[in-house]
């Protein structure tokens, strides 16, 4: 395979390099698409030197190295690592916090990540403070000298609250903490969190990065090759929570169309959010692309190539109206997850459970690649009963 050339990071563009998976031409055959390498072990030469980049597939084989290079290029990172899921990537960051380390996270964030942190806190492994997403004053008050990790998520699932990454980095760094961000809903084609000051950026690649609802994977990328990254690298290698070669290959295939998918999904979501604003059955349309969204100005700064395909609707008719909307669509599929090519709709409260701060009346929408007018017509017909 063509080896990575750092010159390629600025020219041609990241978009062009993504489309070609950084010239992933197979040197042995000229195949334009890289082969799948299921091998778990790799031969050495007569001098006992590695022939390729690795001797064993935990932590990475040729497909994982290639995908990690593309992701590192996209993030402007010196290095990225692939995990078996977004949660496995989050678990590695949590594991890197020393015993009794202080973590500040968000009261509203991906519920699985919050549960993982709360579990570590309940066992006395870490101490944990939660602050409202985007409340920089509360974040500043919660961080104290010696805080180990600040974990943010922007846009925050499912209200799409926007967190100022640069301001959070300043606060975290003043306390001596590492700033990690779950940027799953703002993939690197629109937000480069590391260049805004984040130390670690995490993605559930299950979502936009793969984009086809057929791979479970996670990513971490680092701004610097520092002690934190060395710890995470060790955890990655020792725990072996890595994706399979086929999953990695599929992910790299999906990743090649990230820019065009995200642009179309952003465009359609903006169209739908605008058309649905003021709908008589709705209390609110939560979408960072709308100027009425409280985080819009910050989102416009840190989401440079689109606000994404995710928005939420709050229904005047409460829980029951939300139930009816989510089960009344014909084109939108009632299913969990986000960022795929098929549009999904979900009533979040019954999924997240009674402890979740998500309101009863909230329906989350993930826009895929169907025609915008078809999606609008579907939402309008499903909202009609709620109009009364
Ligand atoms: C899905 C998701 C995760 C978890 O990722 P998995 O790949 O499902 O383990 C974490 N954060 C956000 C924002 C997500 O949407």
């Amino acid at each position: 395979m063509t080896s990575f050339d750092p010159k390629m990071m600025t020219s041609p563009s990241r978009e062009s390099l993504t489309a070609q998976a950084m010239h992933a031409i197979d040197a042995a055959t000229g195949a334009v698409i890289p082969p799948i390498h299921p091998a778990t072990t790799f031969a050495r030469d007569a001098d006992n030197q590695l022939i390729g980049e690795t001797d064993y597939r935990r932590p990475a084989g040729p497909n994982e190295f290639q995908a990690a290079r593309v992701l590192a290029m996209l993030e402007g990172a010196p290095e990225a690592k692939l995990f078996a899921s977004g949660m496995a990537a989050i678990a590695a960051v949590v594991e890197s916090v020393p015993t009794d380390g202080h973590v500040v996270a968000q009261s509203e964030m991906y519920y699985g990540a919050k549960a993982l942190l709360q579990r570590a806190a309940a066992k006395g492994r870490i101490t944990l403070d939660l602050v409202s997403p985007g409340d920089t004053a509360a974040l500043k008050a919660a961080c104290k000298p010696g805080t180990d990790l600040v974990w943010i998520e922007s846009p925050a699932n499912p209200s799409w609250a926007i967190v100022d990454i640069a301001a959070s980095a300043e606060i975290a760094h003043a306390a001596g903490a590492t700033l990690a961000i779950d940027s799953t809903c703002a993939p690197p084609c629109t937000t480069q969190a590391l260049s805004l000051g984040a130390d670690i950026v995490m993605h559930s690649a299950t979502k936009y990065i793969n984009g086809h609802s057929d791979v479970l994977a996670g990513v971490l990328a680092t701004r610097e090759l520092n002690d934190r990254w060395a710890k995470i690298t060790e955890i990655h290698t020792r725990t072996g929570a890595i994706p399979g070669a086929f999953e990695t290959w599929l992910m790299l295939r999906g990743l090649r169309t990230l820019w065009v998918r995200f642009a179309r999904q952003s465009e359609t979501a903006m169209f739908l959010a605008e058309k649905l604003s003021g709908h008589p059955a709705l209390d609110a349309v939560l979408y960072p692309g709308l100027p009425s969204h409280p985080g819009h100005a910050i989102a416009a700064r840190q989401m440079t190539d689109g606000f994404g395909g995710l928005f939420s609707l709050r229904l005047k008719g409460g829980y029951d109206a939300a139930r009816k909307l989510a089960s009344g669509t014909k084109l939108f599929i009632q299913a969990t997850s986000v960022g795929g090519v098929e549009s999904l709709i979900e009533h979040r409260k019954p999924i997240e459970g009674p402890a979740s701060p998500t309101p009863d009346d909230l329906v989350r929408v993930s826009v895929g690649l169907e025609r915008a007018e078809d999606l609008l017509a579907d939402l309008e017909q499903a909202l009609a009963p709620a109009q009364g």
Side-chain angles (χ1 to χ4, degrees):
M1 253 173 252
T2 314
S3 64
F4 172 55
D5 178 355
K7 283 200 301 291
M8 290 297 189
M9 285 179 66
T10 48
S11 174
S13 65
R14 293 185 305 134
E15 184 171 356
S16 297
L17 288 169
T18 306
Q20 295 194 9
M22 295 172 72
H23 312 281
I25 299 163
D26 178 37
T29 62
V32 167
I33 298 301
I36 305 174
H37 290 283
T40 54
T41 187
F42 298 83
R44 294 174 179 272
D45 67 13
D47 298 324
N48 200 29
Q49 298 303 303
L50 293 176
I51 294 170
E53 286 179 277
T54 189
D55 63 339
Y56 190 59
R57 216 174 61 77
R58 173 172 55 75
N63 295 114
E64 290 75 54
F65 280 120
Q66 179 66 21
R69 272 194 286 269
V70 175
L71 286 159
M73 175 278 293
L74 270 167
E75 300 287 3
E79 215 168 271
K81 304 234 171 266
L82 301 190
F83 289 82
S85 67
M87 286 304 299
I90 295 169
V93 178
V94 175
E95 181 64 23
S96 76
V97 176
T99 303
D100 293 332
H102 181 230
V103 178
V104 181
Q106 293 177 182
S107 52
E108 190 190 286
M109 58 188 279
Y110 180 70
Y111 75 120
K114 188 171 154 188
L116 196 71
L117 287 166
Q118 285 175 324
R119 186 172 178 278
K123 287 199 307 181
R125 244 278 288 138
I126 62 168
T127 57
L128 178 65
D129 281 307
L130 300 177
V131 300
S132 184
D135 186 343
T136 40
L139 182 63
K140 201 166 191 167
C143 288
K144 43 197 183 211
T147 295
D148 183 69
L149 177 71
V150 174
W151 182 273
I152 60 172
E153 179 181 323
S154 185
N157 196 350
S159 75
W160 315 119
I162 297 294
V163 182
D164 187 327
I165 301 167
S168 303
E170 213 169 288
I171 293 166
H173 294 159
T178 294
L179 179 70
I181 178 169
D182 181 340
S183 198
T184 297
C185 299
C189 56
T190 199
T191 298
Q192 280 189 297
L194 302 179
S195 72
L196 295 169
D199 300 291
I200 305 275
V201 59
M202 171 262 157
H203 297 277
S204 166
T206 313
K207 315 297 168 53
Y208 279 115
I209 287 182
N210 177 60
H212 292 72
S213 307
D214 53 9
V215 170
L216 199 68
V219 186
L220 294 177
T222 187
R223 190 161 54 84
E224 286 173 3
L225 300 174
N226 52 20
D227 288 351
R228 170 79 61 179
W229 190 248
K231 268 194 228 172
I232 287 173
T233 298
E234 195 199 345
I235 294 160
H236 181 249
T237 306
R238 299 282 170 254
T239 60
I242 59 153
F246 181 54
E247 281 72 19
T248 306
W249 184 89
L250 271 178
M251 190 198 80
L252 192 59
R253 180 200 166 116
L255 181 55
R256 291 165 76 127
T257 56
L258 172 67
W259 295 75
V260 66
R261 282 186 283 110
F262 192 78
R264 168 70 179 263
Q265 286 162 320
S266 296
E267 190 187 324
T268 305
M270 183 69 100
F271 169 83
L272 294 173
E274 279 175 349
K275 290 282 186 194
L276 292 170
S277 292
H279 189 286
L282 298 176
D283 245 350
V285 177
L286 307 175
Y287 184 58
L290 291 175
S292 60
H293 189 281
H296 177 71
I298 296 164
R301 274 207 313 273
Q302 63 189 34
M303 299 179 84
T304 55
D305 277 57
F307 298 100
L310 313 177
F311 62 87
S312 294
L313 303 172
R314 294 195 61 181
L315 284 103
K316 283 190 181 146
Y319 189 96
D320 291 341
R323 236 334 335 101
K324 280 195 188 116
L325 169 60
S327 54
T329 54
K330 298 189 166 93
L331 186 55
F332 279 90
I333 301 164
Q334 187 180 200
T336 200
S337 200
V338 298
V341 296
E342 58 289 303
S343 291
L344 304 178
I345 190 162
E346 187 174 47
H347 184 201
R348 282 303 289 175
K349 190 66 177 197
I351 304 294
E352 297 187 10
S356 157
T358 296
D360 281 355
D361 58 16
L362 184 141
V363 170
R364 187 179 74 186
V365 171
S366 173
V367 170
L369 297 181
E370 304 88 343
R371 194 175 251 285
E373 291 79 3
D374 293 345
L375 294 172
L376 179 62
D378 191 32
L379 289 174
E380 282 177 338
Q381 70 76 27
L383 279 168
Q387 237 164 295

